[in-house]
Amino acid sequence: MEIQSQNIENNQQSRPMVSVVMIAYNSSRYIGQAIEGVVKQRHKFDVQLVICDDASTDNTAEIVEQWSKKYPGIIDYYRNEKNLGVQGNYLEAFKHCKGKYMTMCDADDYWCCRTKLARQVAYMEAHPECVITYHRVINYYEVSGEMSLSNGGGMISRTPQELAASNTITNLSVMYRADALDLNNLPTWLSEVRLIDYAMHMLYAQHGDIHYMSRPMGVYRHLPTAIWSLAEQNRRREMAIDVRRHLIEELADRPDLTAPLEEACQRMLNADLTKPAKTKRSLLSRCRAILSRLLPVPKP
């Protein structure tokens, strides 16, 4: 019994406090900045950075190796033999996470606050009923150089029911209490939905409280994309409805969560995508957009 107790204690001591999931695919242009934002965090606990490379064909692996040599013992790098797609890559990465808490930072995003992890861990350690913390982020539009802040207009989820009504969590900001879910035995339908981030938010949210931090601590990079066609808007709506349909079935014993999910689906179905979106911005918003182009983008 004494040897067994000692082994359990050793395992607990060797377990990192936080596992950071970073999925990558041909991410050589951005991944260095993403890694820098993780390894330069200021804290007094162990961190595991799980980088799951979805069979990149560029020099992503070489860049990761350079950072691994500079910061040994932090980065766990895995490369898929074949491309699994976004969902498959996330699910593969989850299997390698060992931390008490789990966070996300895709290879084309990055954290700009050195105390992000310390702040989120401190709150969750003090509030065991909390299963999710998330924070405001800076949206950076690479083509125009404009910046904006997320969660404007009071769009904040502080309860699972509010999150079921509307997804306000930017993935790079979230921290989960990892053991609230069995990461090796997740629902099989997760491999089928495109919006796996929202699915994970809701699966965790069913088990406890959500805490929002208003401090911007990460940069979400909006990469160049063409203006959505009507067909593309329909496809995005279908993806959003699809993940909610799966969640409604998964959470059938939680009517307090399935009701707002069903209402959200109905709103999407009733939305008229043929109606032109309002493009006129207020004078204040236009001034903010111009000013944001003159300001430096926050660094890791």
Side-chain angles (χ1 to χ4, degrees):
M1 290 296 294
E2 183 177 348
I3 295 175
Q4 185 178 3
S5 299
Q6 185 176 353
N7 288 338
I8 294 173
E9 184 178 350
N10 289 339
N11 288 336
Q12 291 175 340
Q13 290 176 349
S14 62
R15 185 184 191 186
M17 180 68 79
V18 180
S19 290
V20 182
V21 170
M22 183 177 293
I23 63 167
Y25 175 69
N26 287 350
S27 304
S28 59
R29 182 179 176 185
Y30 303 113
I31 196 169
Q33 199 171 34
I35 294 173
E36 182 180 6
V38 176
V39 298
K40 291 191 175 180
Q41 287 286 302
R42 293 197 293 264
H43 47 70
K44 296 181 179 179
F45 46 75
D46 290 337
V47 171
Q48 172 201 26
L49 172 55
V50 176
I51 299 178
C52 213
D53 181 354
D54 204 15
S56 292
T57 57
D58 64 359
N59 64 331
T60 294
E62 288 79 358
I63 294 171
V64 174
E65 184 178 2
Q66 292 170 9
W67 280 98
S68 296
K69 289 179 179 178
K70 192 174 181 180
Y71 293 89
I74 297 177
I75 299 173
D76 288 344
Y77 176 71
Y78 304 92
R79 187 178 187 278
N80 301 330
E81 292 184 3
K82 62 179 182 178
N83 188 276
L84 302 178
V86 173
Q87 305 97 309
N89 203 20
Y90 267 125
L91 293 171
E92 184 63 28
F94 294 156
K95 296 175 184 177
H96 301 290
C97 292
K98 303 173 183 176
K100 180 177 182 180
Y101 301 106
M102 183 171 71
T103 63
M104 307 291 155
C105 185
D106 291 350
D108 52 2
D109 300 322
Y110 62 91
W111 299 338
C112 60
C113 175
R114 297 286 178 88
T115 57
K116 167 196 157 68
L117 289 182
R119 289 171 184 272
Q120 289 183 281
V121 166
Y123 184 88
M124 297 188 82
E125 287 287 276
H127 298 84
E129 72 283 358
C130 180
V131 292
I132 295 177
T133 60
Y134 75 106
H135 55 78
R136 212 170 194 187
V137 306
I138 298 166
N139 296 303
Y140 173 53
Y141 301 87
E142 196 169 65
V143 172
S144 67
E146 292 182 17
M147 288 179 282
S148 66
L149 289 173
S150 68
N151 305 114
M155 293 295 292
I156 299 168
S157 297
R158 291 192 172 95
T159 66
Q161 292 75 20
E162 290 173 333
L163 183 62
S166 178
N167 181 22
T168 62
I169 299 178
T170 305
N171 206 33
L172 72 97
S173 74
V174 74
M175 176 177 283
Y176 302 123
R177 189 174 298 276
D179 291 346
L181 292 180
D182 182 354
L183 293 172
N184 291 304
N185 191 30
L186 292 169
T188 56
W189 56 262
L190 283 175
S191 63
E192 304 169 10
V193 297
R194 293 295 300 273
L195 303 182
I196 190 173
D197 55 343
Y198 181 56
M200 289 296 291
H201 301 339
M202 284 303 306
L203 290 174
Y204 269 105
Q206 67 175 311
H207 295 295
D209 294 344
I210 301 171
H211 178 69
Y212 172 70
M213 298 179 172
S214 59
R215 182 186 182 96
M217 294 191 279
V219 175
Y220 176 53
R221 198 190 309 268
H222 291 256
L223 299 175
T225 55
I227 298 175
W228 294 336
S229 66
L230 181 58
E232 288 167 333
Q233 291 182 60
N234 273 311
R235 184 175 60 84
R236 287 180 63 85
R237 178 168 63 179
E238 288 169 3
M239 290 190 300
I241 292 174
D242 179 55
V243 67
R244 285 165 175 81
R245 291 299 186 201
H246 280 93
L247 285 167
I248 289 168
E249 185 175 347
E250 182 73 27
L251 304 175
D253 61 342
R254 291 288 304 270
D256 60 319
L257 299 181
T258 57
L261 285 167
E262 288 170 350
E263 290 172 7
C265 288
Q266 196 60 49
R267 285 196 305 272
M268 294 176 196
L269 288 169
N270 292 340
D272 185 0
L273 298 183
T274 64
K275 186 177 181 180
K278 292 182 179 180
T279 57
K280 186 177 179 181
R281 294 193 286 185
S282 68
L283 177 61
L284 179 59
S285 65
R286 281 181 283 167
C287 290
R288 286 173 176 166
I290 294 170
L291 179 61
S292 71
R293 297 191 192 104
L294 305 176
L295 297 173
V297 182
K299 301 298 180 184

